[in-house]
Every structure is written in C-alpha cells, then in structure tokens.
C-alpha cells in the first residue's frame, strides 16, 4: 500500500499535473535538471527502502500508525490537488505571474485551504509526505518528509512575500 501511495503521487506530479497547468514562465534548464535528479534519487531511495529493507509485522495495515499516516497522506493529496486546481484557474489566458487566492476570488465558491494559509498547495504536499512517513515508518520516508518541509516551506515563504 505504501508503494502504491508513492507511485500515485509521482504519476500525478510527473504526468498529470504538467498537462493541466497553463503556460507560465519557462523553467530554467538547470532547475529542471536539479529537480529531475532529486526526483530520480528520491524515487530510487523510497522504492528500494520499501521493497527491500522495510519489514512490517502482520496486521500492519490495521496499525494506528499506518491508518493515521494513510489518512494524513490522503488529506494532503486532496488539499494539494484542490489547491493546484484553484491556482491554475486564477490565471487568465496569457498571464504568467503567480497569484495567491484572496477570500472568494477563486473560480470555486471557496478558496479551500487558501482561506487559512497562503501556500495551501505546499501545505498539502508537506502533509502528504509526513503522512507517508508515518505510514511507512522508515528513515528514508522521514528524510523525504523533512526535505519537503524545508524546500516547500522556503518556497511558500517566498511566495507569501
């Protein structure tokens, strides 16, 4: 189940999300290469950890750590996808700047988690990976959750400013 969670998000972020975004500012090639290398390394690390080294006792899928982590992951995914949807629809055709929803100015009746935090998409992804780490209970998944917190937290702060 943990491997399926990880693969779902990677497929969403790598295949579906890029097809949904509207044209914006081009990504610098160096940034693209660094992101690609990070994702390949992390994917290998998580996959290897879950398929080779992680050992779970019988009944792990019923354990409170797994259930809480899975629910955290699921809520994080929902927040992340919903927030991405809101952000995509804020930009008018031809616009390239980054916008943060304010109040009810989104195409939806509510701004989702943007009503509470300016980086709802980042918050959702951070929650997602901490849920994943709790469900997996591996050092590798915790390391990725912490990396996500520092990297996405920094981006959220920059976007908020």
């Amino acid at each position: 189940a943990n491997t399926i969670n990880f693969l779902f998000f990677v497929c969403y972020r790598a295949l579906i999300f890029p097809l949904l975004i509207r044209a914006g500012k081009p990504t610098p090639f160096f940034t693209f290469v660094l992101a690609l290398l990070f994702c390949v390394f992390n994917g290998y690390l998580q996959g290897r950890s879950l398929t080779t080294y992680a050992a779970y006792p019988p009944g792990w899928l019923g354990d409170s750590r797994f259930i809480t982590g899975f629910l955290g992951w699921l809520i994080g995914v929902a927040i992340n996808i919903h927030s991405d949807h809101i952000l995509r629809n804020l930009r008018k055709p031809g616009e390239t700047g980054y916008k943060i929803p304010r109040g009810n100015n989104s195409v939806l009746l509510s701004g989702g988690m943007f009503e509470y935090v300016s980086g709802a998409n980042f918050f959702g992804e951070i929650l997602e990976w901490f849920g994943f780490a709790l469900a997996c209970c591996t050092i590798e998944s915790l390391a990725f959750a912490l990396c996500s917190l520092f990297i996405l937290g920094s981006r959220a702060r920059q976007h908020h400013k």
Side-chain angles (χ1 to χ4, degrees), residues 99-161:
K99 291 183 175 182
I100 295 174
R102 304 251 189 251
N104 289 331
N105 71 352
S106 72
V107 295
L108 301 176
L109 296 175
S110 141
M113 284 300 294
F114 285 105
E115 299 290 334
Y116 307 101
V117 6
S118 61
N121 52 329
F122 299 126
F123 171 75
E125 192 163 340
I126 291 167
L127 177 59
E128 193 174 325
W129 293 121
F130 273 94
F132 179 76
L134 182 58
C136 294
C137 286
T138 64
I139 290 292
E140 295 83 1
S141 60
L142 177 61
F144 183 55
L146 289 171
C147 283
S148 296
L149 173 65
F150 295 126
I151 292 168
L152 297 176
S154 172
R155 288 183 65 199
R157 185 170 178 226
Q158 179 186 20
H159 286 193
H160 181 77
K161 287 181 180 183

Side-chain angles (χ1 to χ4, degrees), residues 9 20 29 31 33 57 63 66 80:
F9 181 78
L20 295 175
F29 184 72
T31 303
V33 169
D63 187 279
F66 177 81
N80 192 2

